[in-house]
């Protein structure tokens, strides 16, 4: 359809603009940010910090495991944590928020102390000349299908820009030997939880969710990197690498910020979310609609991801 937005009154258009990432963020905040104690982490973040995988999670329990350990977490009121069958001091409330279980951050070291080291230490990956070869990255083009994300002041949908850039990033990474997987390749609706689940299942080295911003204020502009509030060092260093590579794009740098987006707190792998710029800002909306600029953004993101992978390979 040709630009139905022009027919909308301004107030409706503003509401439509805010229906993208803003709503996404508010949904995230309405859950974990408001309902959980300040120093709490999701069971996915616990898994990431301890080298475990989330085997199962529901409203009544979460099961985390690796080859030598089984961790069971039950939320309040009868909250309890067991590591290999033995209870672990919980040190604070274990709460459910927005269908996810959150535990006190201080529980992570307690669990760590109780873990057995795997019988055989994992063999170091053979380091090929190309440190990117065989590394797995999941690229998540935000929104899709019935969820358009933000709507550009020029009438374009965020979901479309996200997909164009994400596909470019995946193509560039594949050329460098990275195993790059997309959560969607078409205009498809995917639940927020199902996006990081792809990275969890593939034990990806990195999960990168790609979005574009919108604000009521048309003057708001710039790109932003997000990690979860209690993100791992690997997530934070990936965000730093992406800020450095994206700083070459010539749009303002809003730096690395913390927010418990659903796609971040449901990831047990290192995870970042990119807001490429503001679709509500006329200049950035025009840039993000331009195929040449989309390609430049994709190159910057691929470069940042490559730098993050090269750093984590050396550690
Ligand atoms: Zn978005």
């Amino acid at each position: 359809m040709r630009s139905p937005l022009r027919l909308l009154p301004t107030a409706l258009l503003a509401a439509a603009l805010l229906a993208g990432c803003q709503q996404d963020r508010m949904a995230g905040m309405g859950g974990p940010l408001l309902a959980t104690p300040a120093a709490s982490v999701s069971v996915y973040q616990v898994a990431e910090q301890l080298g475990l995988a989330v085997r199962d999670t529901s409203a009544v329990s979460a099961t985390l495991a690796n080859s030598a350990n089984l961790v069971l977490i039950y939320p309040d009121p009868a909250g309890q944590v067991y590591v290999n069958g033995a209870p672990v001091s919980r040190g604070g409330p274990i709460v459910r928020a927005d269908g996810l279980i959150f535990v006190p951050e201080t529980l992570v070291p307690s669990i760590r102390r109780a873990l057995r080291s795997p019988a055989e230490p994992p063999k170091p990956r053979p380091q090929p000349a190309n440190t990117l070869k065989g590394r797995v990255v999941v690229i998540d083009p935000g929104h899709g299908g019935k969820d358009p994300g933000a709507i550009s002041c020029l009438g374009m949908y965020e979901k479309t820009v996200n997909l164009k850039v994400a596909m470019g990033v995946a193509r560039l990474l594949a050329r460098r030997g990275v195993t790059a997987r997309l959560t969607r390749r078409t205009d498809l609706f995917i639940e927020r939880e199902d996006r990081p689940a792809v990275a969890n299942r593939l034990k990806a080295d990195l999960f990168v969710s790609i979005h574009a911003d919108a604000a009521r204020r048309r003057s708001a502009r710039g790109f932003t990197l997000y990690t979860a509030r209690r993100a791992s060092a690997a997530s934070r260093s990936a965000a730093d690498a992406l800020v450095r590579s994206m700083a070459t794009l010539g749009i303002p740098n809003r730096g690395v910020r913390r927010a418990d987006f659903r796609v971040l707190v449901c990831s047990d792998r290192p995870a970042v979310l990119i807001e490429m710029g503001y679709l509500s800002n006329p200049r950035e909306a025009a840039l993000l609609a331009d195929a040449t600029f989309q390609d430049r953004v994709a190159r910057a993101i691929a470069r940042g991801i490559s730098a993050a992978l090269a750093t984590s390979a050396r550690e």
Side-chain angles (χ1 to χ4, degrees):
M1 260 205 312
R2 240 182 54 228
S3 200
L5 288 171
R6 289 212 183 91
L7 305 174
L8 291 174
T10 316
L12 262 182
L13 182 58
L17 265 173
L18 287 168
C21 287
Q22 295 294 323
Q23 199 181 53
D24 217 32
R25 187 164 322 154
M26 282 190 264
M29 284 179 164
L33 280 188
L34 297 180
T36 60
S40 66
V41 289
S42 79
V43 290
Y44 289 96
Q45 293 171 290
V46 173
E48 197 220 332
Q49 291 177 26
L50 296 172
L52 303 167
V54 177
R55 288 279 158 79
D56 184 51
T57 178
S58 70
V60 292
S61 71
T63 308
L64 280 47
N66 63 13
S67 62
N69 296 281
L70 187 70
V71 179
L72 297 172
I73 300 174
Y74 299 96
D76 292 335
Q80 188 55 266
V81 178
Y82 297 95
V83 177
N84 302 317
V88 170
S89 164
R90 31 182 296 182
I94 302 175
V95 299
R96 274 178 317 183
D98 208 8
L100 251 189
I101 298 174
F102 288 77
V103 305
E105 199 178 12
T106 50
L107 184 60
V108 176
S110 306
I111 297 176
R112 193 191 305 277
R113 279 192 295 276
L115 290 177
R116 288 192 287 254
S117 47
E120 257 178 64
K123 286 187 191 129
R125 289 176 200 238
Q127 288 289 322
N130 176 359
T131 55
L132 301 180
K133 208 170 176 73
R135 309 299 293 281
V136 179
V137 175
V138 172
I139 309 290
D140 172 44
H143 312 279
K146 67 182 182 186
D147 168 20
I151 299 169
S152 148
C153 56
L154 303 176
M156 185 180 43
Y157 290 152
E158 181 197 342
K159 64 177 182 179
T160 311
V161 184
N162 295 344
L163 182 60
K164 287 240 174 85
V165 173
M167 290 187 70
V169 173
R171 211 165 31 236
L172 290 160
L173 289 175
R175 251 187 243 166
R176 296 173 186 215
V178 174
T179 301
R181 292 276 180 272
L182 287 153
T183 53
R184 66 179 176 98
R185 306 184 135 270
T186 56
D187 184 16
L188 181 74
F189 176 77
I190 307 173
E191 295 288 352
R192 285 174 301 166
E193 294 79 0
D194 295 340
R195 297 166 183 267
V198 176
N200 295 347
R201 199 167 52 236
L202 293 172
K203 299 195 187 309
D205 294 285
L206 187 60
F207 172 78
V208 179
S209 191
I210 296 181
H211 290 255
D213 240 327
R216 229 177 276 275
R217 206 162 44 87
R218 278 164 73 95
S219 57
R221 59 201 186 100
F223 73 87
T224 318
L225 265 291
Y226 285 95
T227 62
R229 281 183 310 157
R230 310 278 159 186
S232 67
S235 301
R236 290 200 306 271
S237 96
D240 289 340
L242 281 157
V243 160
R244 281 193 295 274
S245 67
M246 290 183 71
T248 59
L249 290 173
I251 58 177
N253 175 357
R254 301 177 74 242
V256 180
R257 302 186 182 207
R258 304 285 185 92
D260 281 350
F261 285 111
R262 189 84 174 166
V263 293
L264 296 179
V265 297
C266 287
S267 177
D268 65 18
R269 315 301 303 165
V272 301
L273 185 145
I274 302 174
E275 296 281 7
M276 299 179 283
Y278 278 82
L279 290 175
S280 46
N281 175 270
R283 178 179 138 77
E284 293 187 358
L287 281 173
L288 288 167
D290 177 73
T292 309
F293 189 78
Q294 289 170 351
D295 185 57
R296 281 188 60 210
V297 177
R299 282 174 195 285
I301 294 174
R303 220 167 40 239
I305 291 173
S306 303
L309 292 177
T311 309
S312 63
R314 282 200 298 272
E315 273 166 5

